[in-house]
Every structure is written in C-alpha cells, then in structure tokens.
Amino acid sequence: MSDLAGARVLVLGAGVSGPGAVRILHALGAEPVVADSRPDAVELLQASLPEGVGCTGVGLDRAAEMLLDTGPGRIDLVVTSPGWRPDSPLLRSATEAGLELWGDVELAWRADAAGMFGPPRTWLAVTGTNGKTTTTSMLESICREAGMAVRACGNIGLPVTEVLLAEPRVEVLAAELSSFQLHWAPSCRPDVGVVLNVAEDHLDWHGSMEAYAAAKAQVLTGRVAVAGNDDPIASRLLEEAPASARIGVRLGAPRHGELGVVDGVLTARIGGRGDDDEVPLLPAVDVRPPGPAGVLDALAAAAVAMSVGAEAEHVAAGLRGFTVAAHRAELVDTVDGVRYVDDSKATNPHAARTSLLAGGTMVWLAGGLLKGADVDPLVAEVADVLRGVVLIGRDRARIAEALSRHAPGVPVVELASGDDDGAAAPDEPQQTMDRAVAEAARMATGGDTVLLAPAAASMDMFTDYGHRGRSFALAVGRVAGR
C-alpha cells in the first residue's frame, strides 16, 4: 500500500462509495481522479470532502483517454464503484492496459491489513441473497452488548473506507457485503464470514449462477466460515470453505458445531463444548422480525458474534434490543379486516417467498426488474395462497406468464406505467402504485393480506426499494380514506 504514495488513481463513480475511497487515497498520499457521467455528482462529492482533501473530476470520455495514456500522467490503479459491471467499456480498457481493478472494500481491506491506520481491525462479513441487512444489524447489536467497539458498515451505514477513518476508532467491522462488492474484493479475508443463502439474483451482472455463488463464497476464506445449512448452495459453499473452523446454522435441532432451534429456543452447540452440551440463547418467539427468516438471521448473527467472544447473555440482550429496519414485512395498516404489509425489500423471488408463505391468503403486489431471476419456481410454490395478483413494473409480463402456467385460476391485473419502455400510459410511479393498491383492495376480503413483495428490483419506477415502500404506504393511506 505504501506504493500508492504519489500514484494517480482513477475512482469510477461519485456515488456512495466514492467519497470514502477518495479520503482513503488522499490519506495514503495518492492523487485521486473521480470519473462519473454526471458532473453534478462529482461536484457534490468534492463539496462533501473534509477541508484539505481534494480530487480531480472528469467525465467518462476523459477517463477513457487517461486509461490509454502511458506518459507521466498515466493512471496507476482503478478503484471502481461496486455497481460497475466487469464488461463495461471503461473496465475492459483498464484490464487491457494491465491495470489492477479494486473496489472500495478491496482498498479498505488492503489499507487495514497493512496497518496504514493503526492495528488491523476485526472484520465480520455478512452476505447472502436475502437477510444481509437484518443479520448485520443484529450482529452489531450483539457485539455492542459484548462491549465491542463495533460499527455496521459496507452495504449499510458507512462505507468500509470511511469506517477506517472514523473517530472514535472502530475495532470491529460488521460489514454487509453484496456480491458486487465481493467480486471487486479478491484479496479480502474476513476474520469471520457468513453466507446466509444463495438464490438467483443479479445474474444479469454476474453472468451465471456459478459466478454469483463464487462471489458470495469470498467471505468464507478467513478464520471462521458460517453458513445456512438449510440452503443447499450455502451449505455446499461451507463444506468447500478453506476456513479453519466451520459453523452451520439451521432451523432444526443443531448438530455439534452448529446453531439451531431446540423446543422453540435458539440453541448453540459450538465453542469447544462437549458433543451433548446445548447452550440456550433465547426463545424464538422473542426474535424480530418473526418467522423462519428472522430466526435464521438471528442464528447467523449469533454464530458470528460468538466466534469473536460474545456469550449467550450478549446474544439474548442484543437480539431483544434489535429493531427491524423499515420495508421488511412491515405492517402498514389494517383496513376493513385486510392487512397491508410492506416487504419492498423483497427484491428477488427468494425474498418474496418468505412473506408469501408467512400464513393466510395473499393478494400479491409484485413486479419490477427481475435481474435475470427465474420466477416460475416461486409462483408454482405459492399458487395456493394467492387470492389475486396485481403486477407493475417493467418485467411484469414475465411474472404474468408464470402465473398463467402455474396459477391459471388466480385473477391477475397488470398495470402499465409511464416508466415502461414504450408504454402508452403516462402515469407517474405514485399514480401507478395508487391504482395497484386500489385494485388489490378490491380483490381482498376480510382476513386477507395485501402484500407488497415485488420479487424484483425497483429502479425501473422508483429511486430504490425504500421509495417504493413509502409509495405503497401512501397508497394504503388513500385506501383507508386518509
């Protein structure tokens, strides 16, 4: 890392990860150059930097020219925003020029491991198709109860680069890491890492299920590997992990070296205890969010925390004090006996499955960007619980086709939006959501649940899943007459 002093580093993307990357590079003595297609984004980044920290801003065309420059002003390294695809023209040009490509996580890992900002921290990494944010937040809560100087970071909270510079000093990083971040962090070896589950998601970015799973497996290369044994792919990755210790978590009774549930109580059988020792943690009914997914997330967080010294009492206190983030199976209102639930965070079929099978009859509000995922298995599994379906978003036709194959008797309403390519309807996203919730309300009867669990990403119509969830809540309020 000392070689970065005086190096010119191209930072691709002025978004969330950009400012932290610039600050780290500046602290290491490098010359950061930020490239983005949006001049205003670069200006905002520059304005957000502390006094004395600066960077040059360029457009993407100029960045492409700089990658070809072999003179004194040449680029020595590229640090990319995690969302940039490996096959993008700029990254292909960087590879052809023989440059290394790092993400902000790779930059932070290398700087920390080299002791550039004091003794290396303890890295606890959480990944999986679903449940990452909940598990990471639970992990932070447990570690804090154990007296650790911990901070949730990565894909939630602060970027890992900014945590390295935070005051007071953070000793334990509870890092939620996406498959994109892990792809661009090839040397990262977390002290403890957990893969919760692996289901089809982001295949349009990674190119294959194998590549997606391989990115997730990156967190299992450190001292302790943890994975959900009820998930076949995660379980296989755990078996193949090079870690010196492996811990499985499951919803059933735990075997030796696992965490699970015994007579309704979260239970651990790890930590060098005898084969027959079972350490109770807390009753499953005390876990929030309730249900199998929440319990599995809690078990995973407990496994990671206990691997770095947390005790059973810390696990119980941390989980009881944990507050569920918004848009995760959140009850918005009950109107005329119908429950309206916002699970906008269900951005893939695997995530939507949990809420659809939570119990009772559902009117399902779904649609958006499927990102290459296959929705047929989900539709086939949940067909019997569907009272009706309302579809929005760009890939709604694919979900409608799956419904026609596997649930032909279920009423389906498709709503076009002005955000569709070539759609005739000029609706704004909120107008479309208002219509969708009104249609769902007409389908529902007392005792049903109108469930927003899109099984798809939101960016075709909304800023993010939070925007989509807030739009749903506003539409529910209109149905309720508010």
Side-chain angles (χ1 to χ4, degrees):
M1 294 299 293
S2 59
D3 292 343
L4 286 180
R8 176 175 275 193
V9 180
L10 180 63
V11 178
L12 291 180
V16 175
S17 65
V22 168
R23 290 181 63 199
I24 286 284
L25 291 167
H26 180 271
L28 294 173
E31 178 190 345
V33 178
V34 179
D36 200 290
S37 61
R38 306 158 298 166
D40 57 331
V42 177
E43 292 171 4
L44 285 172
L45 182 152
Q46 291 171 321
S48 73
L49 296 173
E51 186 176 353
V53 179
C55 65
T56 303
V58 299
L60 298 186
D61 290 342
R62 175 57 185 144
E65 294 172 358
M66 295 176 75
L67 289 172
L68 299 176
D69 190 350
T70 58
R74 71 182 184 277
I75 295 297
D76 299 295
L77 171 71
V78 176
V79 175
T80 178
S81 168
W84 279 65
R85 292 169 58 131
D87 60 357
S88 62
L90 270 179
L91 294 186
R92 284 204 306 268
S93 295
T95 300
E96 291 167 1
L99 296 173
E100 285 193 87
L101 303 177
W102 299 356
D104 66 315
V105 174
E106 178 78 0
L107 174 64
W109 169 260
R110 291 191 182 223
D112 190 47
M116 305 300 291
F117 302 102
R121 276 74 165 178
T122 298
W123 285 58
L124 310 178
V126 178
T127 196
T129 303
N130 299 302
K132 295 185 295 295
T133 299
T134 298
T135 302
T136 304
S137 301
M138 287 175 167
L139 175 60
E140 180 188 42
S141 182
I142 296 169
C143 289
R144 187 168 288 125
E145 288 290 339
M148 303 178 199
V150 62
R151 185 72 175 266
C153 58
N155 217 30
I156 62 172
L158 288 177
V160 288
T161 44
E162 296 194 22
V163 171
L164 295 190
L165 301 173
E167 293 293 342
R169 177 182 160 95
V170 175
E171 298 292 348
V172 179
L173 280 66
E176 176 190 328
L177 300 180
S178 70
S179 59
F180 302 161
Q181 290 169 312
L182 290 166
H183 175 89
W184 296 119
S187 70
C188 183
R189 302 287 184 270
D191 297 87
V192 187
V194 56
V195 175
L196 300 166
N197 43 60
V198 183
E200 285 190 347
D201 199 14
H202 302 301
L203 301 190
D204 53 345
W205 196 97
H206 288 280
S208 70
M209 190 65 179
E210 291 73 20
Y212 175 60
K216 295 293 189 187
Q218 180 70 20
V219 303
L220 304 180
T221 57
R223 178 177 62 86
V224 181
V226 181
N229 273 345
D230 293 333
D231 183 279
I233 299 179
S235 181
R236 173 178 60 80
L237 294 179
L238 183 62
E239 291 178 5
E240 298 170 352
S244 57
R246 301 182 187 89
I247 300 173
V249 298
R250 64 176 70 243
L251 292 174
R255 302 165 187 167
H256 181 60
E258 293 184 344
L259 281 77
V261 181
V262 177
D263 296 330
V265 176
L266 275 65
T267 302
R269 295 183 65 188
I270 60 173
R273 302 175 174 92
D275 284 355
D276 297 324
D277 288 347
E278 294 182 349
V279 178
L281 303 175
L282 82 164
V285 294
D286 290 349
V287 173
R288 295 291 180 274
V295 169
L296 195 65
D297 292 346
L299 289 166
V304 175
M306 294 177 79
S307 297
V308 291
E311 299 291 343
E313 59 267 27
H314 304 136
V315 173
L319 292 177
R320 287 194 174 103
F322 170 71
T323 302
V324 182
H327 313 299
R328 291 163 172 81
E330 180 180 11
L331 178 63
V332 174
D333 204 348
T334 300
V335 182
D336 297 329
V338 176
R339 299 170 73 251
Y340 291 80
V341 173
D342 168 14
D343 197 18
S344 183
K345 186 62 173 66
T347 57
N348 54 65
H350 185 269
R353 174 185 180 275
T354 299
S355 288
L356 284 164
L357 297 178
T361 308
M362 304 283 172
V363 177
W364 184 24
L365 204 168
L369 298 174
L370 285 173
K371 302 171 289 181
D374 181 6
V375 76
D376 276 74
L378 170 66
V379 172
E381 185 175 7
V382 305
D384 290 344
V385 307
L386 298 178
R387 173 84 66 189
V389 180
V390 181
L391 298 174
I392 62 174
R394 193 163 298 172
D395 289 340
R396 64 183 180 276
R398 288 179 53 196
I399 303 176
E401 290 165 2
L403 287 161
S404 69
R405 286 189 289 271
H406 304 292
V410 174
V412 177
V413 174
E414 291 187 61
L415 298 178
S417 163
D419 293 277
D420 290 344
D421 288 338
D427 300 342
E428 294 295 326
Q430 186 60 55
Q431 291 175 295
T432 302
M433 183 63 78
D434 288 346
R435 293 169 59 210
V437 172
E439 291 285 353
R442 280 192 283 273
M443 290 182 178
T445 60
D448 289 346
T449 296
V450 171
L451 173 67
L452 173 66
S458 57
M459 285 78 76
D460 56 334
M461 292 176 61
F462 302 94
T463 304
D464 52 29
Y465 73 83
H467 178 201
R468 181 169 59 188
R470 292 189 296 274
S471 176
F472 175 75
L474 183 58
V476 172
R478 289 171 177 160
V479 166
R482 292 192 302 275

